[in-house]
Amino acid sequence: MKRSSNTSPNRDLFWMTLDNAGKIFPAENTETWSHMIRETVVLKADVLPDVLTQALSDIMPRFPMFAVRMREGFFWNYLQENEKRHPMVRPDVNNPCVRIKWQENDGFLFRVFYHKNRISVEFFHAITDGYGMTCFIMTLVHRYLTLMGEKIPVGGFVLDINEPPSEDELSDAFFKFNDYKGKEIKSRTGVYHFVGTKLPPHRIKVTTGYLSVKQIKKFAIKHGVTITEFLSAVSLYALYKQQEGEVGTNNWRKMKPVGIQIPMNGRFKLPTKTLRNFSLSTYACIVPRKQGYTFEQVLEVVSKDLRRSATRDNFKAMIRSNIALESNPVIRVIPLPLKNLVIGTIYNITADNDTSVLITNLGKIDIPGEMLQHIDRAMLFPAPGRVCGARGGVATIGDVLALSFMNIYKETDIERRIFGEFRRMGLDVSVESNYTFDEPGIDSSMPYSKRLMIPNAYKVRILTIGVVVDRILKRLFFSALKRQNPFDEEWINRFFYY
């Protein structure tokens, strides 16, 4: 983080670079791929919006890494301090994780919602991951309950707002641990995807199943696996059976591999408490075979693959690979519009190539017991994909494990398969969804191929080289002329960092 030494009211606002993981997300911020992640905490009493607004105002100085707006430099996007106190607290919406635009929401890259007894936040993935988002919302809920008269200590995911943020919390931990020379374990591409009737832009079907931690833990211990491995195996097996049902059990040669992506929290591997991004993904995959797979065999494959790849050394190898790409001299000097054109096009073409289903697990959310008495449950919602309709988030409060899927398709096949597998095993599951399937304006008879729309990203990115150069020059001079002293050293350092 770069800070100005000038403390006058007219001082320069501080700025910081995007972390290594966050640099690619601005180029992929489209109608069909928003990279917005969401978390919800359900209280045992209705939320008072005025008190929630005050709580948000009180905690913002503790999270300067989130009190920022997106800026465009000559070579990279960067984050600049937002002169506003905080974003507006709004009533919740039924189309979560909609793309965020840099000019809206007073420039903030996260949103805060309330609905009855629920508090929700949505973060653009460029500024944090699930860990940072959980620290923020749990600190927000803690402050809200404190303003409501409750006396609750801090600890776990609840940060002390009277303490200043540490340098470690503000750091880009990827560069801090870029010291491993081994090779990362690669994932398999060309995997199976369920394809159905795509929902209109900005509409996501959210389905959450609630399970008992005690019941799941009993099954996991029985099979000698972790809860994450168990949930991942159930999801992978459900997608395998879905594909088998589509092509037939005798046509195994026509089946594609089925792969699962599981983000890893690097803070469990390496000594850092950064509140910015520090997660990378590991993968497991089953390859079609004539004799097929039982659930137990899928569980064995998933457990073996994850334990082989979810290691400290492989995590550091992935860090080195990503930083090597960012540090490539050729890539560094490519102007930002051209970078966005290339990154966005590549990711739109290769979207979810290695992911049939995604499961990201926060684990048990550690909060003070006095606070737990006021919370019913919590839910995590990963960013929806462009092709993959099975992207699940797991959050656990007390004995309630919430598994939420973000689906871009109208059909409920994926959710029925996955939650049906839990019920088949004898686990109790209750399910809720934000979507009514007879909504007007959705023609279920229209085939998917005709409903496929070219995202706005392509319309913007199909540019001639001349137009790209023109945009570069305009950005350079108009950004400079907005300042009283357009070519001071601080502005040059920020705009031209590479």
Side-chain angles (χ1 to χ4, degrees):
M1 180 175 292
K2 318 294 183 182
R3 292 183 180 273
S4 171
S5 58
N6 184 1
T7 58
S8 71
N10 297 319
R11 68 176 176 84
D12 284 330
L13 301 175
F14 78 74
W15 67 282
M16 59 185 180
T17 63
L18 286 162
D19 57 61
N20 175 258
K23 279 186 166 68
I24 64 170
F25 294 127
E28 304 163 24
N29 178 29
T30 70
E31 284 184 352
T32 56
W33 210 356
S34 69
H35 290 291
M36 295 295 292
I37 55 178
R38 178 183 175 99
E39 190 166 355
T40 296
V41 174
V42 182
L43 302 180
K44 294 182 179 179
D46 284 355
V47 174
L48 301 181
D50 290 344
V51 179
L52 181 60
T53 299
Q54 183 60 52
L56 177 61
S57 178
D58 291 347
I59 72 166
M60 284 305 296
R62 184 64 178 81
F63 297 92
M65 69 292 294
F66 303 150
V68 293
R69 62 172 68 242
M70 187 70 71
R71 293 298 193 190
E72 295 179 334
F74 192 81
F75 298 106
W76 294 104
N77 291 96
Y78 63 93
L79 302 172
Q80 185 180 54
E81 178 184 358
N82 195 319
E83 63 277 11
K84 304 286 186 179
R85 179 73 176 182
H86 57 77
M88 183 181 295
V89 174
R90 304 174 185 273
D92 211 346
V93 294
N94 68 346
N95 56 333
C97 296
V98 170
R99 168 193 185 186
I100 198 164
K101 296 183 179 179
W102 312 149
Q103 299 82 11
E104 68 183 19
N105 197 39
D106 284 334
F108 287 95
L109 301 175
F110 70 94
R111 307 180 179 115
V112 180
F113 299 108
Y114 69 92
H115 175 70
K116 295 184 179 178
N117 60 336
R118 300 187 178 206
I119 298 173
S120 301
V121 296
E122 293 180 353
F123 275 79
F124 186 42
H125 211 333
I127 61 173
T128 193
D129 54 18
Y131 176 90
M133 179 171 64
T134 302
C135 286
F136 183 88
I137 192 171
M138 290 303 164
T139 305
L140 175 63
V141 171
H142 177 274
R143 184 57 183 167
Y144 172 83
L145 293 172
T146 299
L147 293 175
M148 292 296 291
E150 304 296 335
K151 294 183 179 180
I152 305 172
V154 299
F157 280 97
V158 178
L159 305 186
D160 188 346
I161 63 173
N162 296 313
E163 293 182 356
S166 67
E167 287 300 321
D168 187 30
E169 291 172 342
L170 293 163
S171 68
D172 181 354
F174 290 106
F175 278 91
K176 186 176 178 181
F177 297 104
N178 180 32
D179 58 358
Y180 184 73
K181 301 186 182 301
K183 292 185 178 181
E184 65 175 307
I185 299 173
K186 299 290 186 179
S187 61
R188 181 183 291 271
T189 59
V191 300
Y192 162 77
H193 294 109
F194 171 82
V195 177
T197 307
K198 208 165 189 183
L199 294 171
H202 303 305
R203 298 309 302 265
I204 299 295
K205 177 156 59 72
V206 182
T207 305
T208 300
Y210 299 105
L211 300 100
S212 166
V213 176
K214 293 178 182 176
Q215 287 187 351
I216 292 181
K217 197 170 184 179
K218 182 178 178 181
F219 268 78
I221 292 174
K222 176 183 175 182
H223 291 92
V225 297
T226 66
I227 289 179
T228 297
E229 291 168 350
F230 177 72
L231 296 174
S232 300
V234 171
S235 302
L236 190 63
Y237 182 69
L239 268 291
Y240 164 74
K241 297 300 288 185
Q242 177 68 31
Q243 181 182 201
E244 187 180 66
E246 292 173 2
V247 303
T249 55
N250 296 325
N251 294 326
W252 66 273
R253 294 183 186 278
K254 295 182 179 180
M255 295 177 68
K256 294 182 178 180
V258 184
I260 186 167
Q261 178 186 164
I262 302 162
M264 289 188 292
N265 183 353
R267 301 165 189 86
F268 295 146
K269 309 290 180 185
L270 298 164
T272 181
K273 293 296 182 183
T274 181
L275 294 178
R276 302 173 70 188
N277 282 300
F278 199 54
S279 297
L280 295 171
S281 290
T282 184
Y283 298 84
C285 185
I286 56 173
V287 180
R289 62 184 186 182
K290 185 176 181 179
Q291 63 270 38
Y293 290 90
T294 64
F295 170 72
E296 288 73 19
Q297 290 170 334
V298 170
L299 182 59
E300 183 181 354
V301 171
V302 169
S303 179
K304 186 180 297 184
D305 282 359
L306 294 188
R307 295 183 188 194
R308 181 171 59 95
S309 58
T311 63
R312 175 190 174 101
D313 285 347
N314 191 50
F315 191 89
K316 295 181 77 172
M318 288 190 284
I319 290 176
R320 182 174 178 81
S321 176
N322 290 349
I323 289 182
L325 183 64
E326 176 190 338
S327 303
N328 184 293
V330 176
I331 292 177
R332 290 177 66 182
V333 299
I334 295 175
L336 181 61
L338 195 54
K339 274 195 184 86
N340 287 343
L341 170 67
V342 174
I343 294 172
T345 301
I346 290 174
Y347 275 85
N348 275 305
I349 292 172
T350 63
D352 295 326
N353 265 5
D354 50 13
T355 306
S356 305
V357 57
L358 176 145
I359 295 292
T360 177
N361 186 3
L362 285 175
K364 186 175 181 179
I365 299 175
D366 180 22
I367 56 176
E370 295 88 338
M371 183 173 167
L372 187 60
Q373 299 173 10
H374 301 277
I375 296 177
D376 186 59
R377 59 193 185 275
M379 294 96 82
L380 172 68
F381 307 95
R386 282 197 64 244
V387 180
C388 175
R391 297 174 72 88
V394 183
T396 302
I397 287 279
D399 188 50
V400 180
L401 183 149
L403 172 57
S404 304
F405 284 97
M406 304 288 277
N407 196 340
I408 57 176
Y409 300 114
K410 178 182 178 182
E411 289 78 10
T412 60
D413 300 51
I414 295 171
E415 298 91 336
R416 290 179 185 275
R417 286 273 185 186
I418 293 174
F419 292 122
E421 286 299 323
F422 288 121
R423 290 193 174 113
R424 184 183 64 81
M425 297 174 184
L427 296 172
D428 298 325
V429 186
S430 60
V431 179
E432 66 179 16
S433 179
N434 72 325
Y435 203 78
T436 55
F437 301 102
D438 57 349
E439 286 194 21
I442 300 178
D443 182 4
S444 59
S445 64
M446 189 179 297
Y448 170 75
S449 58
K450 292 185 179 179
R451 293 182 57 81
L452 189 61
M453 300 175 63
I454 298 177
N456 283 349
Y458 279 121
K459 299 172 187 176
V460 173
R461 290 170 181 143
I462 301 175
L463 303 170
T464 64
I465 296 299
V467 174
V468 171
V469 172
D470 179 65
R471 288 180 63 189
I472 293 171
L473 294 176
K474 284 181 178 179
R475 179 172 297 149
L476 170 62
F477 289 106
F478 282 104
S479 295
L481 293 174
K482 286 180 182 178
R483 299 179 54 84
Q484 186 176 2
N485 181 13
F487 294 104
D488 64 84
E489 183 178 356
E490 171 69 16
W491 181 85
I492 291 173
N493 289 338
R494 179 171 68 247
F495 191 78
F496 287 100
Y497 96 86
Y498 70 99

